[in-house]
Amino acid sequence: MSSAPAQAPETKKWAAWLIIILALVAVIGLAVMNSTTAQRGATSAAPADATTIDVSVDGMSFVPNSVDVPAGTHLVVNFTNTGDQVHDLKIGSAETNRVDPGDSVQIDAGIITESVEGYCTIAGHKIQGMTFMVNVTDAPADGSHMASGHNHGVVAPANVPSLAERMAPREDFEAFDPVLKPAKGTVHEETWTMTEEEVEVAPGVRQTRWLFNGQAPGPTLRGTVGDTFRITIKNEGSMGHSVDFHAGEVTPNEAMKTIQPGESLTYEFVAHRAGAWMYHCSTMPMSLHIANGMAGAVIIDPKGEDALSDVDAEYLLTSAEVFLAAEGSEAEGADPQRVSDGSYDLTSFNYYPNQYDDGLAPLHAKVGDTVRIWLVNLGPDLPLSFHVVGEIFDTVYKEGAYLLQDAEDSGSQAVDLLPAQGGFVEMTFNEPGTYSFVNHIMTNAEKGQHGQIIVE
């Protein structure tokens, strides 16, 4: 009798602990359930009444790329990434996570009531053909029940800064440094990172760009014929990237392969030929990677009797179009559809429109100075006709050959470069003043390929 009251508190204590343990189990179970739901359609077991199909990858296509199902079908897809880079699959509101090459995942697309377009959500992959059409066989022939994701119309871009806004002086503005430094040493070893970062791409406009070493254009390499370049590339981004150095003569298979996030690759080449060379990300779609900033220049000087003469200043200007992000999609960068269509908003030297105009960061020279301006057209699409207002080039070097060299009674008014072409021009300033340099495709000069040289 006397022991019963002593046991009651212990019993209540164990009962309380049991309730706490059961509550924790319930919370954990709910968290697991929510985590599974957060996979947005990814599942490990198909419902018994589901229609299950297998989908794989061939290049930049899903195989098969469509399926016909009756309305009301519960659709499950076994997706295997048989490609060589990361992909995913989104169908309606159901979506896989990123799937590494060789991995598989199951996605539950739910009950299909109307036709819907699935696609890979990685930037640019949809435009390259990575779509998967789910066709409801008894849907209206006019397509009125098509999901909105099937609309390929051009998305309105963000507001484009006017010429006045682009040329307005800003005290805190920092331009990309165009000064080309001389080559040093014969072996050039560098480590670059590849990232996706939000940056300013025009006055008042910020959006994500894909970058080599946090900059666009990427770092400039300079050397002399015979030099060795050993560049280690680390992918610290969220998607596959790669690099193709036009100055190198190497087998593309390994050196230019796509580097997955978290991985690295060392690209080595010997520069056998002089010139102004482009490099760029070569992961598809290349146009989108270049438009988003993944390109730069390699300058290889000739040597011996062909060595370049001394000049008072050397600058490097790369030419590129600027594609603004669709409104509300700044985190995704340049709109893939508009890049594919060539619908650029602005043009630039060194990836920023009008940055070398007076009041921002113009170039400088003195009367009597001979200035060499190196040029590389990064594109991705448009030609460059480079001209300096009020000056005549006495030396023009284009794609490995001189068109003029130290001419005295003749000269050149413009040098034309298609995408991926490069060269340099030289001129001597005889009078002080402000000299504009432009792309003489004048509509593109007015869109941002315009700068100034102040001669004192």
Side-chain angles (χ1 to χ4, degrees), residues 173-245:
F173 179 73
E174 292 187 16
F176 183 91
D177 186 0
V179 175
L180 182 63
K181 297 176 175 59
K184 293 183 178 180
T186 59
V187 177
H188 310 268
E189 291 193 77
E190 296 191 16
T191 297
W192 297 354
T193 58
M194 299 186 291
T195 55
E196 297 116 36
E197 303 177 31
E198 183 184 284
V199 297
E200 186 177 79
V201 300
V205 180
R206 295 184 66 83
Q207 67 188 47
T208 295
R209 269 188 167 162
W210 308 344
L211 305 170
F212 290 109
N213 255 26
Q215 64 183 66
T220 300
L221 297 176
R222 190 175 193 182
T224 305
V225 170
D227 286 4
T228 296
F229 292 82
R230 189 174 299 119
I231 311 300
T232 298
I233 313 289
K234 295 182 177 181
N235 188 350
E236 296 181 359
S238 64
M239 67 184 78
H241 297 297
S242 57
V243 65
D244 170 8
F245 289 102

Side-chain angles (χ1 to χ4, degrees), residues 91-109:
I91 302 174
S93 61
E95 183 178 356
T96 70
N97 291 324
R98 300 293 172 90
V99 182
D100 291 329
D103 288 353
S104 299
V105 67
Q106 192 174 79
I107 175 173
D108 187 342

Side-chain angles (χ1 to χ4, degrees), residues 239-296:
M239 67 184 78
H241 297 297
S242 57
V243 65
D244 170 8
F245 289 102
H246 289 195
E249 296 171 275
V250 299
T251 302
N253 304 52
E254 288 298 318
M256 302 178 198
K257 70 180 182 181
T258 295
I259 308 165
Q260 301 301 337
E263 297 181 356
S264 63
L265 178 148
T266 298
Y267 191 125
E268 182 172 334
F269 66 93
V270 175
H272 296 295
R273 302 171 190 272
W277 307 91
M278 178 182 181
Y279 70 83
H280 60 92
C281 178
S282 58
T283 298
M284 295 295 288
M286 294 186 205
S287 59
L288 184 60
H289 287 254
I290 294 170
N292 271 316
M294 299 198 82

Side-chain angles (χ1 to χ4, degrees), residues 32-44 89 93-98 105-108:
V32 171
M33 184 181 299
N34 288 339
S35 176
T36 302
T37 302
Q39 296 298 311
R40 292 174 289 177
T43 181
S44 58
L89 176 59
S93 61
E95 183 178 356
T96 70
N97 291 324
R98 300 293 172 90
V105 67
Q106 192 174 79
I107 175 173
D108 187 342

Side-chain angles (χ1 to χ4, degrees), residues 333-384:
D335 179 60
Q337 183 65 54
R338 298 181 68 256
V339 173
S340 179
D341 293 341
S343 299
Y344 61 100
D345 300 285
L346 298 166
T347 59
S348 69
F349 289 119
N350 293 338
Y351 272 108
Y352 194 100
N354 296 98
Q355 65 177 322
Y356 301 118
D357 275 306
D358 192 12
L360 295 170
L363 311 187
H364 290 272
K366 295 180 179 179
V367 172
D369 279 0
T370 297
V371 174
R372 178 182 295 135
I373 298 180
W374 292 83
L375 302 160
V376 179
N377 187 351
L378 304 181
D381 294 327
L382 298 181
L384 170 67

